[in-house]
C-alpha cells in the first residue's frame, strides 16, 4: 500500500536530490491515474446508491432461464436460479461496500485513538498496548476474522465486527508510529509547556499533522476491508442466501464456472474494481497529502509509485 | 549477530503467550456452555453436564483453566475434536502436508515471478517491460484470489483442458491452486522490488561501484539486490500469513483437504478445539517464519542487527 | 597552457553534456577544454552547479544513457567516448579512479569494506580472494587505517566520515590508476579532518605518481594541492592558470570575484560561509548568447552580451575566456612587452 511512500515521506520529508541521480521524464503519470480513479470511485458509489433505479429487476426474483446467457435483456446474464446478474451485482455492491465502509470506520474508531494514545504516552503503557496489538497482528487477518465468526456465529454484523477487529490493530500500528514521530516536535512541547492536556494536544496539535497519513491508510484500507468482507461472504459466513453480495455471489458462481462463467464475472470484476480504485486513490492521496500538495517535486520517488502494496507493508514500515 | 538473534527470539516469547491467551479466550467468549454444546442432542441430565464440565476443567477459575491449557500446549496437546474425538494435533498433522504443499508452491510462483519481473522493471524503469509489469501487477494486486482461481479454472481446465481443476491427482493438480494464490503475492514482490531497486540504483554507492568498473550483472547481484531485497524480505515474511489465510478459500475451491478446509468445516460444526488448534498453529508458524525472516534480514543488512533504523 | 611538456594523459576537447529535462534541454557542460599530464595535480573550481561533477562523470562515461555527451575525452591516446561499454569498464577503476564527494554515501552500507576493496583488485588484477584481501589490508594501512586486517570485516557505518573517505581513496587507488578524479573529496567532511584527507590525497598521488584532478567549489582547497587550476562557470572553463598566479593575479572577473568573496569572510571561521558573489548563475536550460557571466560582471560591456568570449591565451601560461580581463596586477614590463 501507499504507506511505503507515506511513512517514509513523513519520516524523511527532505530527501536531498542527488544532482547526478535524477531520472528524466515520467512525472505526474501517477497523479493523472489517481484523479481518474477518484472520479471513477465517485461514479461507482453513485451507481450503487442508485441501484434501485438502475437495476433492471429485483435482485432476488427469478426473471428468466437458469444460467441464461448474457443478452440484450440481461446484459450480464442470469444466475443459477435465473436471477439477473446485473441487478444482483448492483444490489450486492451496496451490501459489500456498506460492510467494508462500516468495518473500516469501526476499525479506525478503535485503532486510531488507541495508537495515538499509545504513541503519545509512550513508555510502558504505550509499549504494552502495542505488544497487545502485536498479538492481534500475529494472526493473519482472515484468521482473526474467522475467530470472531466462531465467537459470534455467521451474519452481516459478524462480518463487520470481524473485519473491524482484524484491521483495528493495523490502524493502531500506523498511528502509533506517526504519533511518536510528531510527539517530540517543538510545537507539541510548546503546547505542553503552555499547559495543554494530553487530549487537547492530541486533538489540536498531533491529529492535524498525522491526518494526511491517516487519510491515505483509510482509503487504501477500504480496498482491503472490501476483500476481507467479500472473502468471509465467499466462505458463507456473511449474508443469508437469497440476499445478493459480491463474495457470496462469487461462491455461487463457483459450481457453475464450467457452464456459466458470467455468474461470477460481474461480481469478480466489481471487487477487483473497488480494490483497484482504493489502491490508486490511496496512492494519489499519498502523493498529494504527504508531499506538500505536490509542490516539492520528487521525480525519482514519484516514479516508484507503490500502488497497492498491502497493509502488511504499512505495518512493516511502521514497525521500523 | 548472536546477540541480535537472541534478542529477537526473546521478544517472540511474550508474543506466543499472548497468542495462546487470545486463542484460549475464544472458548470463554463463545456464548453457551461448551459442555452443553458437546452434549447437544443427547438430552443430557444435569449430572452428565456437571461431570463433563469437570472433565473439561470448566468448573475451575479462568486463570486455572488457562494454566492447564498452556501446560498442555507446551506438551503439544491441542485437545480433542468435539466431532471426531481424536487429538486435534493429529487431525492437523494429517492435513498439514496439503497446505504446506500449496503454500510452498504459491511462494515459489510468487518468488520466481515477483523477482524476475521486479528486477526487470527496476533495472529499466519506464521501459516497455516495466510498463507491462506495472499494469499487470497493479491489476494483480486488485483481483481477489478466489475469483482469479475461477478464471484460471475456466481458462486452463475447462476451455483448454491443460490442467486439472480439482483434487490432488498428480503433480499438475497443484499448478492452478498455486497460481491462484501466488500471483497476487508475486505482484506485491514485483512492485516492492521495483521501487527498492530504483531507489538503490540512484544511490551514490552504486555510482562508485560502477566507477570501479563493475559490469551491470555483478552490480545487480553484488550491490543493488543485496540492498533492495532487505525490505522485500520483511514483507515476504509478513505475507506468509496471507498465504495460509488464502489457502482457506483456495482449498475449498480446488477441493484440497488441507488445514483451511478443515478450519472452515470446524467453524461450521462449532468444533471449538479444532478451531483453536488450527488458529494457534497457524499463528505460531507465522511468528516462527517472521522470526526467521528477521534473522535473515539481520544477516543481509548489518544495520538492522545493530538496531539502526534507516 | 601551451607550455611544452610530456604528452597529455587526458585531454578534454570541447566536452559537452546535455540532459533532457522537463523544461527543455539542460546544458550542464558547454565545451570544456582541459589537459592533464602524467603525475600532475590539476584543480577544477566553480560554484555548485557549474558542471564539475558532470564533467567528471563524462570522463568516466557514467552518465545515464539519456544524457547527450559530445566532444572528446582523449585518455592515453584513445577517445573514451568512442569506447564500447566493455572497454570502458576496464578503464574505470583500473586506469581512472574516482573519489566521490560524500563518503557517507559512497560505500555500500550492507557490504563489508573488505568486500568493496577487493572488488577492483579481483576485477582488474585477476587476484584471488586471498591475494585481494592481503592487498586490501595494505591499502588500508597506506591510507592510515589502524589494524587494517581486522577492519576488513567491518561495515561502513562503523567508521567516521574521515575514515570512510580514506577507505574510498584506498578503493580508488587500489589498481594504481594513472589518473584519479576526486570530486569534492572534503566537502562533506568536518573541517578538522578536511586538511588531513586532502594531505593524504596529495601525498598518495604524488608518491604513486598518479595524476590528480581535484574538484572543489573552494579555491583555497584546490590551490593548496594543485599545480594548475581551471575555473569553471556555467559549464565552461573561464580561466586556466598555474595555481599561484591565479591567487595572486586573477584575470577573469569571475575568478577575481571568487577571490574577493573569500577575503571578505577571511576573519570568519572557514566553514561559516561559502564564498558568495552577488547574483546567480544563468539558467542552464536557456544559456545567454554572449558571455554567461555578463549579468553579474562588473566589467561587462555591451558586446559581452552578444559575443561569447572564447578561451584564449592571455599571457604565456594563462588562458582567459573574457573580452575585458582584469589587468595584470603587477604586470612585469617583460610580459607587457610581449
Ligand atoms: N542526470 C542529470 N539530469 C539532469 N540534470 C543534471 C543531471 N546531472 C547533473 N545535472 C545538472 O547539471 C548541472 C551541473 O551539475 P553538476 O555537474 O553536478 O554541478 P557541480 O559543479 O556542482 O558538480 C546542474 O544544474 C545539475 O542539476
Ligand atoms: S566577457 Fe565581458 S561579461 Fe564576460 S567576464 Fe569578461 S568582461 Fe565580464
Ligand atoms: Mg558536484
Amino acid at each position: 500500500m501507499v504507506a511505503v511512500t507515506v511513512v517514509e515521506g513523513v519520516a524523511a520529508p527532505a530527501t536531498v536530490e542527488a544532482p547526478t541521480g535524477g531520472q528524466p521524464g515520467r512525472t505526474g503519470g501517477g497523479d493523472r491515474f489517481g484523479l481518474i480513479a477518484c472520479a471513477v470511485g465517485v461514479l461507482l458509489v453513485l451507481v450503487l446508491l442508485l441501484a434501485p433505479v438502475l437495476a433492471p429487476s429485483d435482485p432476488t426474483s427469478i426473471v428468466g432461464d437458469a444460467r441464461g446467457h448474457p443478452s440484450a435483456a440481461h446484459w450480464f446474464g442470469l444466475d443459477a436460479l435465473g436471477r439477473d446478474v446485473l441487478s444482483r451485482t448492483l444490489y450486492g455492491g451496496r451490501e459489500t461496500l456498506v460492510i467494508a465502509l462500516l468495518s473500516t470506520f469501526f476499525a479506525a474508531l478503535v485503532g486510531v485513538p488507541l495508537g495515538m494514545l499509545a504513541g503519545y504516552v509512550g513508555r510502558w503503557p504505550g509499549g504494552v498496548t502495542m505488544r497487545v496489538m502485536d498479538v492481534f497482528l500475529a494472526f493473519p487477518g482472515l484468521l482473526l476474522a474467522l475467530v470472531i465468526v466462531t465467537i459470534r456465529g455467521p451474519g452481516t454484523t459478524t462480518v463487520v465486527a470481524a473485519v473491524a477487529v482484524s484491521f483495528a490493530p493495523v490502524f493502531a500500528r500506523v498511528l502509533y508510529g506517526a504519533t511518536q514521530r510528531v510527539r517530540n516536535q517543538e510545537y507539541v512541547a510548546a503546547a505542553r509547556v503552555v499547559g495543554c492536556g494530553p487530549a487537547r494536544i492530541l486533538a489540536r496539535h498531533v491529529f492535524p499533522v498525522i491526518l494526511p497519513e491517516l487519510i491515505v491508510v483509510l482509503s487504501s484500507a477500504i480496498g482491503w476491508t472490501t476483500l476481507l468482507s467479500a472473502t468471509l461472504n465467499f466462505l458463507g459466513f456473511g449474508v443469508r442466501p437469497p440476499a445478493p453480495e459480491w463474495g457470496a455471489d462469487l461462491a455461487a458462481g463457483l459450481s457453475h464456472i464450467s457452464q456459466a462463467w458470467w455468474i461470477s464475472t460481474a461480481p469478480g470484476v466489481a471487487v477487483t474494481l473497488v480494490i483497484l480504485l482504493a489502491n490508486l486513490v490511496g496512492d494519489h492521496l499519498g502523493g498529494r497529502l504527504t508531499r506538500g500538495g505536490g509542490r516539492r517535486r520528487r521525480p525519482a520517488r514519484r516514479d516508484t509509485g507503490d500502488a497497492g502494496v498491502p497493509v502488511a507493508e504499512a505495518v512493516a514500515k511502521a514497525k521500523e | 549477530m548472536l546477540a541480535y538473534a537472541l534478542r529477537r527470539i526473546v521478544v517472540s516469547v511474550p508474543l506466543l503467550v499472548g497468542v495462546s491467551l487470545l486463542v484460549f479466550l475464544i472458548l470463554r467468549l463463545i456464548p453457551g456452555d461448551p459442555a452443553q454444546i458437546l452434549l447437544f442432542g443427547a438430552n443430557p441430565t444435569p449430572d452428565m453436564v456437571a461431570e463433563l464440565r469437570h472433565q473439561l476443567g470448566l468448573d475451575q477459575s479462568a486463570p486455572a483453566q488457562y494454566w492447564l491449557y498452556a501446560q498442555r500446549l507446551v506438551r503439544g496437546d491441542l485437545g480433542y475434536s468435539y466431532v471426531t474425538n481424536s487429538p486435534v494435533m493429529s487431525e492437523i498433522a494429517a492435513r498439514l502436508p496439503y497446505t504446506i504443499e500449496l503454500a510452498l508452491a504459491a511462494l515459489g510462483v510468487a518468488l520466481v515471478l515477483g523477482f524476475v519481473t521486479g528486477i526487470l522493471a527496476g533495472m529499466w524503469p519506464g521501459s516497455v517491460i516495466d510498463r507491462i509489469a506495472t499494469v499487470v501487477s497493479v491489476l494483480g494486486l486488485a483481483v481477489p484470489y478466489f475469483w482469479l482461481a475461477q478464471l484460471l479454472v475456466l481458462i486452463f481446465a475447462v476451455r483448454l483442458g491443460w490442467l486439472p481443476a480439482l483434487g490432488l491427482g498428480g503433480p499438475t493438480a497443484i499448478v492452478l491452486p498455486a497460481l491462484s494464490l501466488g500471483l497476487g503475492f508475486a505482484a506485491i514482490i514485483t512492485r516492492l522490488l521495483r521501487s527498492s531497486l530504483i531507489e538503490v540504483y540512484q544511490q551514490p554507492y552504486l555510482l562508485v561501484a560502477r566507477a570501479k568498473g563493475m559490469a551491470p550483472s555483478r552490480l545487480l547481484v553484488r550491490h543493488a539486490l543485496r540492498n533492495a531485497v532487505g525490505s522485500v524480505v520483511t514483507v515476504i515474511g509478513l505475507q506468509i500469513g496471507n498465504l495460509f489465510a488464502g489457502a482457506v478459500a483456495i482449498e475449498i475451491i480446488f477441493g484440497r483437504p488441507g488445514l483451511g478446509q478443515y478450519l472452515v468445516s470446524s467453524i461450521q460444526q462449532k468444533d471449538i478445539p479444532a478451531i483453536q488448534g488450527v488458529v494457534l498453529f497457524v499463528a505460531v508458524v507465522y511468528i516462527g517464519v517472521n522470526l526467521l525472516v528477521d534473522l535473515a534480514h539481520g544477516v543481509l543488512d548489518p544495520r538492522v542487527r545493530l538496531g539502526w533504523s534507516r | 597552457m601551451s607550455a611544452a611538456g610530456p604528452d597529455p594523459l587526458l585531454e578534454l576537447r570541447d566536452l559537452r553534456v546535455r540532459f533532457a529535462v522537463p523544461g527543455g534541454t539542460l546544458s550542464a557542460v558547454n565545451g570544456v577544454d582541459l589537459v592533464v599530464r602524467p603525475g600532475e595535480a590539476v584543480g577544477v573550481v566553480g560554484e555548485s552547479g557549474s558542471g564539475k561533477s558532470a564533467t567528471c562523470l563524462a570522463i568516466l562515461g557514467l552518465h545515464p544513457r539519456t544524457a547527450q555527451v559530445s566532444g572528446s575525452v582523449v585518455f592515453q591516446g584513445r577517445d573514451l567516448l568512442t569506447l564500447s561499454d566493455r572497454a570502458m569498464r576496464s578503464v574505470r577503476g583500473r586506469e581512472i579512479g574516482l573519489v566521490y564527494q560524500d563518503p557517507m554515501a559512497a560505500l555500500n552500507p550492507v557490504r563489508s569494506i573488505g568486500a568493496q576493496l577487493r572488488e577492483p583488485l579481483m576485477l582488474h588484477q585477476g587476484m584471488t580472494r586471498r591475494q585481494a584481501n592481503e592487498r586490501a589490508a595494505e591499502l588500508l594501512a597506506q591510507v592510515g587505517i589502524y589494524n587494517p586486517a581486522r577492519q576488513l570485516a567491518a561495515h561502513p557505518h562503523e567508521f567516521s566520515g574521515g575514515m570512510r573517505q580514506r577507505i574510498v581513496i584506498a578503493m580508488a587507488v587500489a589498481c594504481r590508476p594513472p589518473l584519479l578524479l576526486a570530486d569534492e573529496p572534503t566537502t562533506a567532511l568536518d573541517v578538522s579532518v578536511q586538511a588531513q584527507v586532502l594531505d593524504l590525497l596529495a601525498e598518495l598521488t604524488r608518491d604513486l605518481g598518479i595524476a590528480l584532478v581535484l574538484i572543489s567549489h573552494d579555491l583555497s582547497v584546490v590551490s593548496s594541492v594543485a599545480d594548475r587550476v581551471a575555473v569553471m562557470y556555467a559549464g565552461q572553463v573561464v580561466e586556466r592558470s598555474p595555481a599561484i598566479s591565479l591567487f595572486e593575479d586573477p584575470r577573469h572577473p569571475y575568478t577575481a570575484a571568487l577571490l574577493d568573496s573569500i577575503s571578505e569572510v577571511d576573519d570568519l571561521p572557514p566553514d561559516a560561509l561559502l564564498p558568495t558573489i552577488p547574483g546567480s548563475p544563468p539558467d542552464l536550460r536557456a544559456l545567454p548568447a554572449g558571455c554567461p557571466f555578463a549579468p553579474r560582471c562588473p566589467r561587462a560591456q555591451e558586446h559581452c552580451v552578444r559575443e561569447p568570449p572564447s578561451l584564449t591565451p592571455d599571457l604565456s601560461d594563462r588562458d582567459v575566456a573574457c573580452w575585458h580581463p582584469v589587468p595584470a596586477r603587477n604586470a612585469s614590463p617583460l610580459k607587457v612587452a610581449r
Side-chain angles (χ1 to χ4, degrees):
Chain A
M1 175 167 331
V2 214
V4 187
T5 44
V6 185
V7 177
E8 287 182 358
V10 172
T15 305
V16 181
E17 240 169 86
T20 49
Q23 291 235 327
R26 287 255 298 156
T27 51
D31 264 16
R32 201 168 59 242
F33 280 122
L35 282 176
I36 296 173
C38 289
V40 176
V42 170
L43 198 70
L44 185 77
V45 171
L46 276 181
V47 165
L48 294 181
L49 282 178
L50 293 177
V53 184
L54 296 174
S57 64
D58 182 81
T60 52
S61 6
I62 293 167
V63 293
D65 297 339
R67 298 197 293 266
H69 278 269
S71 64
H74 305 288
W75 294 356
F76 294 174
L78 298 167
D79 75 359
L81 297 176
R83 296 172 299 195
D84 183 55
V85 172
L86 172 59
S87 306
R88 288 190 67 80
T89 306
L90 288 175
Y91 277 95
R94 293 156 68 103
E95 185 81 24
T96 310
L97 270 198
V98 166
I99 295 176
L101 290 175
L102 276 181
S103 52
T104 306
F105 173 75
F106 285 121
L109 197 66
V110 176
V112 169
L114 212 58
M116 282 179 68
L117 268 178
Y120 183 74
V121 177
R123 296 164 198 261
W124 70 264
V128 167
T129 311
M130 291 327 288
R131 292 294 85 74
V132 173
M133 291 301 113
D134 283 349
V135 170
F136 281 91
L137 289 171
F139 298 89
L142 178 63
L143 245 61
L144 202 55
L146 287 177
V147 166
I148 305 299
V149 170
T150 306
I151 293 172
R152 293 186 41 111
T156 304
T157 49
T158 296
V159 174
V160 172
V163 176
V165 167
S166 45
F167 274 88
V170 173
F171 280 103
R173 240 307 157 210
V174 174
L175 272 286
Y176 173 75
T179 308
Q180 270 200 324
R181 262 177 270 123
V182 177
R183 182 182 60 179
N184 300 322
Q185 302 285 321
E186 274 164 36
Y187 52 86
V188 175
R192 217 177 292 141
V193 171
V194 170
C196 291
R200 198 182 156 81
I201 292 180
L202 280 179
R204 288 289 177 83
H205 298 280
V206 177
F207 190 72
V209 178
I210 58 183
L211 186 62
E213 199 167 334
L214 175 61
I215 291 176
V216 174
V217 179
L218 270 174
S219 77
S220 323
I222 289 173
W224 297 96
T225 50
T226 302
L227 179 66
L228 188 53
S229 31
T231 309
L232 289 172
N233 274 294
F234 179 85
L235 294 174
F237 298 125
V239 297
R240 292 288 155 93
E245 195 282 337
W246 290 345
D249 285 0
L250 272 170
L254 175 59
S255 37
H256 304 282
I257 188 71
S258 51
Q259 309 103 339
W261 50 268
W262 53 88
I263 299 179
S264 46
T265 300
V269 170
V271 178
T272 307
L273 186 64
V274 170
I275 299 176
L276 185 68
L277 291 177
N279 287 343
L280 291 176
V281 170
D283 209 23
H284 172 67
L285 292 178
R288 293 241 119 179
L289 297 175
T290 61
R291 285 172 213 155
R295 270 176 289 115
R296 205 185 310 133
R297 207 173 52 82
R298 290 171 60 183
R301 195 55 85 122
R302 186 67 49 80
D303 193 48
T304 62
D306 295 289
V309 173
V311 174
E313 173 65 5
V315 178
K317 286 292 171 183
K319 271 186 182 173
E320 275 175 10
Chain B
M1 183 65 210
L2 193 66
Y4 170 75
L6 281 177
R7 204 163 60 232
R8 274 286 162 210
I9 291 170
V10 168
V11 166
S12 23
V13 172
L15 198 57
L16 287 173
V17 174
V19 163
S20 67
L21 196 62
L22 196 70
V23 169
F24 167 74
L25 279 178
I26 299 177
L27 187 66
R28 308 274 311 178
L29 288 174
I30 284 184
D33 183 356
Q36 298 274 8
I37 298 173
L38 255 182
L39 293 169
F40 182 75
N43 221 349
T45 63
D47 277 358
M48 283 166 68
V49 174
E51 165 71 24
L52 189 63
R53 285 181 60 85
H54 180 68
Q55 269 179 26
L56 295 173
L58 292 175
D59 50 354
Q60 299 186 34
S61 70
Q65 283 183 46
Y66 174 69
W67 180 236
L68 219 68
Y69 180 70
Q71 280 179 321
R72 286 189 307 156
L73 285 186
V74 172
R75 275 184 265 121
D77 176 3
L78 293 175
Y80 292 82
S81 161
Y82 288 174
V83 175
T84 62
N85 254 332
S86 45
V88 170
M89 200 58 174
S90 52
E91 301 267 4
I92 289 179
R95 290 164 173 89
L96 188 60
Y98 301 109
T99 304
I100 297 266
E101 185 192 23
L102 174 60
L104 285 182
L107 185 64
V109 167
L111 289 180
V112 171
L113 275 178
F115 267 82
V116 169
T117 51
I119 288 172
L120 290 177
M123 282 184 78
W124 293 286
S127 65
V128 177
I129 292 182
D130 176 42
R131 279 161 202 231
I132 295 173
T134 298
V135 171
V136 171
S137 59
V138 168
L139 272 179
L141 277 169
V143 178
Y145 53 92
F146 45 90
W147 180 48
L148 181 65
Q150 296 186 33
L151 287 179
L152 293 177
V153 166
L154 180 66
I155 296 169
F156 293 104
V158 178
R159 288 288 145 84
L160 299 173
W162 289 352
L163 293 161
L166 276 180
L168 305 165
T172 50
I174 191 68
V175 175
L176 289 184
L179 283 176
S180 312
L181 195 51
L183 286 179
F185 193 178
I188 294 173
I189 296 179
T190 299
R191 297 209 54 77
L192 273 175
L193 194 59
R194 173 185 184 274
S195 61
S196 307
L197 271 180
I198 290 175
E199 210 179 313
V200 170
Y201 266 108
Q202 290 175 355
Q203 298 299 315
Y205 54 78
L206 249 76
L207 188 78
V208 171
R210 285 172 67 205
K212 284 193 265 183
M214 294 186 76
S217 55
R218 264 172 191 259
L219 199 68
L220 173 73
V221 176
R222 296 277 172 83
H223 284 272
L225 265 187
R226 183 95 189 256
N227 292 268
V229 103
S231 58
V232 179
V233 160
T234 306
V235 172
I236 290 176
L238 291 166
Q239 286 294 318
I240 298 283
N242 281 347
L243 278 188
F244 277 99
V248 173
I250 295 296
E251 284 173 0
I252 288 172
I253 295 171
F254 290 97
R256 296 176 59 84
L259 275 189
Q261 205 186 51
Y262 182 54
L263 178 62
V264 169
S265 67
S266 301
I267 293 174
Q268 283 159 351
Q269 297 171 318
K270 286 208 169 291
D271 189 347
I272 292 159
I275 299 168
Q276 285 179 307
V278 175
V279 169
L280 186 72
F281 184 84
V282 172
V284 170
V285 170
Y286 187 34
I287 292 172
V289 168
N290 278 297
L291 179 65
L292 289 179
V293 165
D294 277 352
L295 296 182
H297 199 178
V299 171
L300 283 173
D301 188 342
R303 291 166 304 175
V304 169
R305 55 180 187 256
L306 291 172
W308 287 41
S309 66
R310 278 166 292 168
Chain C
M1 270 150 268
S2 43
D7 277 350
L9 176 67
L10 173 76
E11 189 172 357
L12 307 182
R13 288 191 209 125
D14 195 30
L15 183 67
R16 289 168 194 273
V17 180
R18 276 183 295 255
F19 299 102
V21 291
T25 307
L26 187 151
S27 311
V29 180
N30 299 297
V32 162
D33 294 287
L34 190 73
V35 172
V36 181
R37 297 199 180 81
E40 76 171 337
V42 174
V44 176
V45 267
E47 285 170 298
S48 166
S50 56
K52 307 181 298 290
S53 299
T55 304
C56 180
L57 293 185
I59 296 171
L60 284 165
L62 286 178
H63 277 299
R65 272 174 210 287
T66 47
Q68 307 163 26
V69 181
S70 63
S72 55
V73 177
V74 182
F75 179 76
Q76 293 183 333
R78 301 177 291 177
D79 184 357
L80 298 185
L81 295 186
T82 63
L83 291 189
S84 66
D85 278 358
R86 193 189 184 81
M88 201 55 217
R89 284 204 296 273
S90 70
V91 171
R92 293 182 200 133
R94 178 158 76 185
E95 309 201 55
I96 306 179
L98 173 70
V99 175
Y100 187 75
Q101 57 181 349
D102 182 1
M104 291 317 203
L107 293 167
N108 189 330
V110 309
R111 307 191 63 218
S112 72
I113 60 159
Q116 300 186 60
L117 269 168
R118 282 197 302 269
E119 259 160 16
L121 295 167
M122 292 167 69
L123 204 62
H124 295 305
Q125 310 208 314
M127 289 191 183
T128 63
R129 200 188 144 99
R130 159 176 295 205
Q131 290 168 329
N133 251 341
E134 279 170 18
R135 180 85 185 98
E138 283 171 30
L139 282 164
L140 284 184
Q142 226 169 343
V143 296
I145 297 219
Y146 297 115
N147 217 341
R150 284 192 52 194
Q151 302 288 18
L152 287 178
H155 285 81
H157 61 257
E158 299 170 45
F159 297 89
S160 68
M163 286 296 151
R164 285 193 217 188
Q165 196 61 306
R166 286 167 188 266
I167 295 165
V168 173
I169 292 171
M171 215 159 76
V173 301
C175 300
R176 291 212 182 181
L179 177 65
L180 182 66
L181 306 176
D183 188 358
E184 310 248 8
T186 59
T187 306
L189 300 179
D190 284 350
V191 195
S192 51
V193 295
Q194 284 187 356
Q196 293 169 19
V197 170
L198 211 56
D199 286 348
L200 171 73
L201 206 54
E203 254 169 53
L204 206 60
T205 47
R206 190 175 345 104
D207 294 351
L208 298 176
I210 296 175
L212 173 68
V213 173
L214 178 64
I215 296 175
S216 177
H217 62 263
D218 187 345
L219 203 54
S220 55
V221 162
V222 163
S223 55
S224 68
V225 173
D227 311 322
R228 295 182 304 119
V229 176
V231 179
M232 280 186 75
Y233 186 78
Q236 294 169 15
V237 173
V238 292
E239 178 160 13
R240 286 187 304 212
S241 151
I244 311 160
S245 15
L246 188 76
F247 241 99
E248 289 178 346
D249 190 16
R251 308 306 316 279
H252 195 279
Y254 174 65
T255 319
L258 263 185
L259 283 168
D260 277 352
S261 66
I262 296 177
S263 49
E264 271 164 29
V265 297
D266 244 2
D267 348 310
L268 294 170
D271 64 333
L273 280 172
L274 293 179
T276 50
I277 302 170
S280 52
D283 183 356
L284 296 174
R285 286 169 301 185
L287 282 172
C291 171
F293 191 57
R296 301 164 85 182
C297 180
R299 304 180 61 81
Q301 304 202 1
E302 204 191 325
H303 72 276
C304 296
V305 182
R306 277 178 277 114
E307 296 258 349
S310 56
L311 201 59
T312 42
D314 166 71
L315 299 168
S316 64
D317 54 355
R318 313 279 304 259
D319 303 323
V320 185
C322 175
W323 295 123
H324 312 287
V326 181
R329 202 173 277 168
N330 36 15
S332 74
L334 181 68
K335 281 179 181 168
V336 173
R338 254 191 227 180

